Amino acid sequence: MSAPTLHRPSGPSPYRPPRPAPYRPTGLTWTVLRLHRTALYVWGAALLTVVAALVWMHAIGPDARAVTGGCDASDPFPMDCGIIQETEAHKIYAYGLALVSACVTFQMYAVAVWAGAALTGRELESGTARLAWTQSVTPARWLATRLAVPAVLLTVGTTLAVLLGDWARRAGNEELFGGWFNTNVFISSGPAAVAYALAGLALGALAGLVLRRALPAAAAALAAVYVLHEVLDGFRMSLWPAETATGRAALRLPHGTLVLEHGAVTGSGERLSNNMACVGTDSAAALEKCVRGTGLTDFWTTYHPESHFWPLQLMESGLLLAVTGLAAAAAFALLRRQHS
């Protein structure tokens, strides 16, 4: 007895719809991310390193605080108090925060060099930009995307680093990472850090459009942000009016104050700058004795209290954003002129 055979029905095979193709992101944003993925990976790794370091600093902050002494709120010389004993936790906390603050402060240099060399300069030099313009992408849209994508990433990442840095500093002792007016601490503690990064991006992109070659654009962008950084660093404390104290108040300033100038007045009315006589006297009797011995009649001090941190931050951030806007506007104007 033979086994039954299976007969396939004759005629056309039933219709099978094709499998949908896997989704692949498209558009200018995806093009920018894919074209500059190496820089994206490096920046992402650096950001993750900074985040991990700040979380660690926060964890060891109480141990670092435990080995430092407190300062008298009226001590005019905060550096004379504080450290009682140095331990491994203190070293790691102080050096770790200093390193992270420097990285956040000086990231504008790396951003400017990359923007000048790769974001615009190399694409113009190699013809990649011109190829994009032939595919229904206008030069203005091409530049807008190349500025907007890294600007968003830099804003989010730098803001995260600033917030985590403040979180880590509150866990420890401020005597371990310098005063609020220290350059690296000041920039890395507020919106100025974001503004510096955006200014570096805009200046670098402008340099690339002007020179249209990667290496010269990188050098020009580096020089531009160096000048900007040094100028603002030199005039930072002039961006907001300082306060002046006279008499005994000039000798016992609050802790955390940045003294700009201190002087005394003689019996003849002459003002002596940088005269530190009688500073730190503990009582009215001690002050009277000091005044009799020096022949001085009054004292004055020009200073920035710690409460000036935010006005100075906002003023510097505003100037940097103005520079960013001017550089971006110049870049668009130059591109429109070149292709009009």
Side-chain angles (χ1 to χ4, degrees):
M1 186 175 178
S2 61
T5 56
L6 299 176
H7 298 280
R8 293 184 179 179
S10 59
S13 58
Y15 171 75
R16 294 181 180 179
R19 293 182 179 179
Y23 172 74
R24 293 182 180 179
T26 58
L28 283 177
T29 300
W30 173 250
T31 301
V32 172
L33 294 175
R34 184 177 59 184
L35 188 61
H36 300 284
R37 58 184 177 274
T38 301
L40 178 63
Y41 295 155
V42 171
W43 182 82
L47 180 60
L48 288 176
T49 303
V50 167
V51 169
L54 290 174
V55 171
W56 187 18
M57 295 305 103
H58 179 270
I60 66 175
D63 294 334
R65 180 193 291 271
V67 299
T68 60
C71 289
D72 185 355
S74 61
D75 198 321
F77 300 105
M79 296 308 295
D80 289 348
C81 60
I83 298 175
I84 297 176
Q85 178 184 358
E86 188 176 73
T87 66
E88 197 65 28
H90 158 255
K91 293 179 182 178
I92 294 174
Y93 182 82
Y95 297 156
L97 280 181
L99 181 59
V100 170
S101 297
C103 290
V104 174
T105 298
F106 294 105
Q107 72 165 331
M108 66 175 297
Y109 290 92
V111 170
V113 169
W114 169 77
L119 188 64
T120 56
R122 187 179 64 187
E123 293 198 28
L124 291 170
E125 184 178 12
S126 63
T128 305
R130 189 168 297 276
L131 176 62
W133 299 338
T134 61
Q135 298 178 352
S136 69
V137 177
T138 63
R141 186 182 172 200
W142 171 86
L143 179 58
T145 306
R146 270 151 182 76
L147 289 176
V149 173
V152 171
L153 294 175
L154 285 171
T155 300
V156 173
T158 306
T159 301
L160 177 62
V162 169
L163 294 176
L164 288 177
D166 182 63
W167 179 59
R169 290 185 185 95
R170 288 200 306 268
N173 191 306
E174 64 178 11
E175 303 304 323
L176 298 179
F177 50 82
W180 62 269
F181 44 82
N182 178 276
T183 297
N184 291 355
V185 175
F186 180 86
I187 293 177
S188 64
S189 300
V194 178
Y196 269 107
L198 295 179
L201 175 66
L203 290 173
L206 177 61
L209 287 169
V210 171
L211 299 175
R212 305 176 71 87
R213 294 174 59 193
L215 291 180
L222 185 62
V225 295
Y226 174 77
V227 171
L228 177 64
H229 182 270
E230 290 300 309
V231 168
L232 287 179
D233 196 35
F235 290 94
R236 174 173 298 121
M237 295 305 162
S238 301
L239 298 178
W240 192 257
E243 296 186 7
T244 300
T246 58
R248 188 178 180 186
L251 306 177
R252 305 290 294 181
L253 296 175
H255 173 59
T257 296
L258 171 62
V259 176
L260 301 177
E261 193 174 11
H262 180 86
V265 181
T266 65
S268 61
E270 182 184 1
R271 293 172 67 89
L272 303 177
S273 299
N274 299 322
N275 186 298
M276 306 301 291
C278 304
V279 171
T281 49
D282 296 327
S283 63
L287 176 60
E288 184 179 354
K289 180 179 179 180
C290 178
V291 169
R292 285 200 308 267
T294 58
L296 302 175
T297 59
D298 198 6
F299 304 93
W300 53 272
T301 300
T302 303
Y303 66 98
H304 277 299
E306 194 169 0
S307 60
H308 284 189
F309 171 81
W310 279 110
L312 288 168
Q313 273 278 339
L314 295 177
M315 290 296 296
E316 187 162 351
S317 300
L319 288 175
L320 287 165
L321 292 178
V323 171
T324 302
L326 290 174
F332 279 102
L334 177 62
L335 191 63
R336 183 169 54 252
R337 181 179 179 183
Q338 292 173 346
H339 299 276
S340 58

